[in-house]
Each structure stands twice: as C-alpha cells, then as structure tokens.
Amino acid sequence: MLSSKKILLIISGGIAAYKSLDIIRLLRKEGAQVTCVLTKGGSQFITPLSVASLSENQVYDDLWSLIDETQMGHIRLSREHDLIVLAPATANLMAKMAHGLADGLASTLLLASDKPVLVAPAMNPVMWANEATKSNVETLKKRGIKFVGPAEGDMACGETGLGRMSEAEDILTAIKDFFFERPLKGLKALVTAGPTYEAIDPVRFIGNRSSGKQGYAIARALLEAGAQVTLISGPTRIRPVNGANMVHVESAEEMLEACEAVLPADICVCSAAVSDWRATSMSEQKIKKEAGNLPPSLSLTENPDILERLSNHPTKRPSLIIGFAAETENIGKHAKVKLEKKGCDWIMANLVGKDEKGHEKAFGSDENQIYFYSQEHDSKETWEHMSKKHIADRLVVKIVEHYKAK
Ligand code: CTP
C-alpha cells in the first residue's frame, strides 16, 4: 500500500523506541522507503545497527557528521520525504518543535522541513498532563501537525495512565490514514472465514479443506479501506489479521452465535466453508473400535445456514450481504439458485476440487477464479484468474462503488 512512499522516521529517547523497530518492519512490509534519524537519547535504547538492518538504509544521528552532510545534508533529509514520523516523540523533542529550537539533527531538520509531520508521543502520564506539554501539543496541533496517541496503560516506570506510545500497528494505520482516503470509514463489516469443525467425539470431527485465505484477505482489504472489521474464523493456520476484531470458533452453531452477537453491521461477507451437517449427538468419550464389531454409523443433522439467517434477519439485516458458492459443476445455475434461496445481495462463485494436474482449484490455493453474481442488477461478471488478495481488493472496490452509488 505504501510502495511509492518515502518516510523519515525520527526515533527519540524513550523506552518505547523498541517499538519503532516494529514500525520500520511494518513500513518495509508495506513497501515504503524508510530513512531513520536516531537522536542521542534514542540511541541509548536501540542501536543504529538494528535500525539500519531493518530499514535497509543508512541511519542519521549526527548534525555535525562530515560524511553525512556531504552525502545527504540535513536540509535534503528534511525535504526528500513524503511524511516525517516522530516515534517515540519525547516531551523534550515536542517542546523543541513548538519553540523552534534547532540544537541537534532531529530538531534542526524539523525546523527546516516543509513536509507533513505525524507525532506519536511517549512519556510518563504526569509529563503528558503537564501544562507545559499540553500547551506545546496545542501549538503543534494548531500548526497542522497530526498526532497518534498516546495510549493509556501500564508504563515502563511502573505508573499507569495516558502516555504510552501507540502500538506499531496503530501508528501504521495513522500513516495510511494520512496518505489514503478511507472510503469505508464509519462502516462496520463482518467476515466469516475458514472451515467449521463439527465434533463427533473429543478427538474426531467433520471438517473440510478450506484454508481461510480468501476470508482473511477480504478482512484485510476491508480494514485498509477503513471499515471496522470483525473476522469470525473457523480453525485455520493463518496469523490473526492485525486491526480486526478476531473471533475464533469451531462449529457452525458457534459461528452463527458469534455473527449474531456482532450485529448490527453494514457489510457482511460469508466466505466460510460452513459444514452443512453435524453429528446428531457428540459422544462424550472417544468412540472405541471393538474387536468383531461393525464400524459405528454416524447420524447427521443439518446445521443452520448462517448466510441465509443473516440475509433474512428480521431487524438487523446488514445492508450489503455477500456470499460465496463453492461448486464442482454447473457454476452459473447453482450460484443463481443460491443467490435467490439465501437472499443475499451478491454471490462470489468459484470452482472447487482438483484441476487436471491434481492441484486444488480454490481450497488452500493462493489464487482463484471468481464468477460474480448480483441480485440487484441481475448481472454476472467473469473475473480473470488472480490471487486471493487481488480478489479481495476487487471485491472491496465493488463495495466502495456500491456505497458511493447510494
Ligand atoms: N453458508 C453458511 N452456512 C451454512 C452453509 C453455507 O453461511 N451452513 C454460506 C457459505 O459461507 C457461503 C454460501 O453459504 O457463503 C454458500 O456455501 P456453499 O458451501 O457453496 O453452499 P451450501 O449452501 O452449503 O450448499 P451446497 O453444499 O449444497 O452447495
């Protein structure tokens, strides 16, 4: 998302400087170019070597460095970036900014810069509440400087209150908010993902091959578009989506309960491969093989259809509901029947099963092909074969267009 962006990260002297390493890592992962300035205080907490390794870039820490000034003067450093981020920003550095002091590399380039600045303060709660700090923050805000945090919680000094630096993920979100319009801001989204496991006994279950990759990618794309996302996930091996409210469930009944607890929501994407049936009764003890006995028979009961229930919710139906259709044949016919029967607005149909080379077409794969059906426009689109991330992005573009047209 940040691939063309150049960020100058100033790390000043606070214990929260260790979190700045994570900020660098996250920014690099998003494709941003990161240049770091480490103040003398900052380098008491983390080393230039770790900052240089993670940013894959030179670290600047001395206004009077002959080499740095000949290669990249502090004026150039202050002008060649799209955004300057101060994290952690100490009370001292903010005071210098507010009063226009320039007695080190960080304060000098801040005074010399005409670039936007984002500040992530970190200090003891009493320092944050001090009238001097309050008035400095006020001055900086009046100049258009943006703030993220501080957050409330336990401090390294043993006190509790407002002053902790925001978490790296929240700072990343603030950086993205700065660069991008968040078209789904203010909307609440619910996404189901992964398989469900229906217990037969304490060790066995009925499951399926869903990996959850598509649902997780959709949750991420919705978050990036600014929606508030709850991801209700069956058992998967995927890392939780940062920034989403993660709810882990096992069975279809648990998934339904978790979905209903999230309502009201604006957008609902049911990408989970919910098991259609569960064992009529779960054995409390492990079912044993007895010599000479026939294998046990399994009696099945139908599970609730979550997509159908949400689409027909009497009072809290989300305004846009998207379902999936996993088919092995007659994709168009089945997708249209599902759209009608379940009462959702859109269906993302895909072929499941193995291709001629024996590879899974959708389940577990990183790519898929989608046939998109809409109730409202009675239309069908064939999307080209693409990664699940791109499918998620394309779906979110359609969601944004849908709300813009309203
Ligand atoms: N779905 C659901 N709850 C169920 C079954 C399915 O919410 N108990 C949702 C899925 O998340 C998906 C859509 O319904 O969005 C279609 O799922 P799919 O497995 O393709 O179809 P089924 O409804 O299970 O029908 P069938 O197995 O007969 O194809």
Side-chain angles (χ1 to χ4, degrees):
M1 219 179 158
L2 298 173
S3 61
S4 57
K5 306 298 177 208
K6 290 184 183 168
I7 311 256
L8 182 69
L9 176 65
I10 298 179
I11 304 168
S12 64
I15 180 71
Y18 77 92
K19 293 192 203 170
S20 308
L21 297 176
D22 237 7
I23 301 174
I24 301 171
R25 192 181 56 76
L26 292 173
L27 284 170
R28 292 292 296 140
K29 220 169 127 195
E30 292 283 342
Q33 272 184 45
V34 188
T35 309
C36 295
V37 168
L38 201 53
T39 68
K40 285 217 160 42
S43 60
Q44 296 294 318
F45 292 95
I46 53 174
T47 67
L49 185 60
S50 43
V51 174
S53 310
L54 284 169
S55 64
E56 297 171 87
N57 208 342
Q58 187 179 344
V59 178
Y60 297 86
D61 57 2
D62 185 5
L63 179 61
W64 310 112
S65 159
L66 204 53
I67 300 169
D68 290 355
E69 281 298 306
T70 29
Q71 285 172 351
M72 164 85 108
H74 66 275
I75 300 291
R76 259 182 69 200
L77 203 54
S78 72
R79 305 277 165 82
E80 288 198 341
H81 293 86
D82 300 305
L83 176 68
I84 301 179
V85 180
L86 267 60
T90 58
N92 185 42
L93 186 56
M94 290 194 310
K96 285 185 194 174
M97 275 172 87
H99 296 278
L101 300 185
D103 63 350
L105 179 58
S107 54
T108 304
L109 72 84
L110 282 164
L111 193 62
S113 179
D114 54 359
K115 294 294 170 189
V117 180
L118 174 71
V119 177
M123 67 198 72
N124 169 278
V126 180
M127 287 168 83
W128 176 251
N130 191 298
E131 287 305 323
T133 309
K134 276 190 186 162
S135 124
N136 290 335
V137 169
E138 212 41 50
T139 305
L140 295 175
K141 281 187 176 167
K142 273 194 199 134
R143 285 183 205 151
I145 287 171
K146 298 264 182 290
F147 279 74
V148 46
E152 202 162 348
D154 293 339
M155 310 290 296
C157 59
E159 292 182 14
T160 302
L162 201 59
R164 277 172 66 91
M165 186 169 90
S166 295
E167 295 307 318
E169 281 83 10
D170 297 329
I171 294 174
L172 180 72
T173 304
I175 293 171
K176 287 182 181 170
D177 277 346
F178 171 80
F179 285 115
F180 303 103
E181 191 204 345
R182 299 295 189 121
L184 298 181
K185 206 169 183 155
L187 295 181
K188 206 171 146 187
L190 158 64
V191 181
T192 70
T196 62
Y197 284 1
E198 311 296 331
I200 296 171
D201 69 12
V203 296
R204 302 180 179 97
F205 58 84
I206 303 169
N208 61 64
R209 295 181 197 275
S210 166
S211 63
K213 284 179 185 170
Q214 186 64 80
Y216 276 58
I218 292 169
R220 270 190 216 102
L222 285 166
L223 266 176
E224 285 186 349
Q228 185 197 331
V229 178
T230 298
L231 174 56
I232 299 175
S233 172
T236 70
R237 289 162 190 258
I238 313 178
R239 271 195 303 158
V241 174
N242 279 330
N245 170 30
M246 294 291 308
V247 183
H248 294 280
V249 296
E250 280 225 332
S251 67
E253 287 183 303
E254 286 170 9
M255 190 173 269
L256 174 64
E257 196 182 325
C259 287
E260 286 180 333
V262 170
L263 298 180
D266 302 285
I267 304 158
C268 170
V269 185
C270 287
S271 65
V274 184
S275 173
D276 290 322
W277 304 283
R278 65 177 184 276
T280 307
S281 63
M282 178 196 155
S283 168
E284 289 299 321
Q285 306 301 332
K286 186 180 171 207
I287 303 167
K288 303 295 287 178
K289 297 192 293 282
E290 305 287 357
N293 278 2
L294 288 171
S297 59
L298 195 57
S299 154
L300 298 175
T301 304
E302 197 166 321
N303 265 330
D305 191 308
I306 301 168
L307 176 61
E308 197 171 326
R309 290 270 189 104
L310 297 176
S311 299
N312 295 286
H313 198 286
T315 51
K316 294 181 186 161
R317 185 195 191 275
S319 59
L320 181 62
I321 305 189
I322 301 142
F324 273 72
E327 309 296 344
T328 53
E329 51 160 4
N330 284 336
I331 193 161
K333 187 174 140 223
H334 291 313
K336 278 191 182 151
V337 169
K338 277 183 191 165
L339 195 59
E340 202 60 47
K341 181 174 162 278
K342 307 212 181 206
C344 57
D345 302 293
W346 300 345
I347 282 272
M348 310 264 286
N350 61 153
L351 282 167
V352 292
K354 295 195 168 148
D355 63 18
E356 56 285 352
K357 289 186 189 147
H359 300 140
E360 286 288 344
K361 287 183 193 142
F363 280 172
S365 163
D366 288 325
E367 294 176 353
N368 201 359
Q369 174 159 25
I370 292 293
Y371 302 86
F372 176 91
Y373 295 85
S374 150
Q375 179 90 274
E376 193 185 353
H377 304 294
D378 190 23
S379 61
K380 177 196 162 188
E381 289 171 17
T382 303
W383 294 4
E384 60 272 29
H385 195 256
M386 58 179 121
S387 72
K388 288 186 174 173
K389 182 187 179 310
H390 282 116
I391 291 171
D393 291 342
R394 182 134 170 204
L395 174 64
V396 169
V397 167
K398 288 200 88 70
I399 294 174
V400 170
E401 283 168 359
H402 169 85
Y403 281 99
K404 270 199 182 141
K406 278 199 145 195

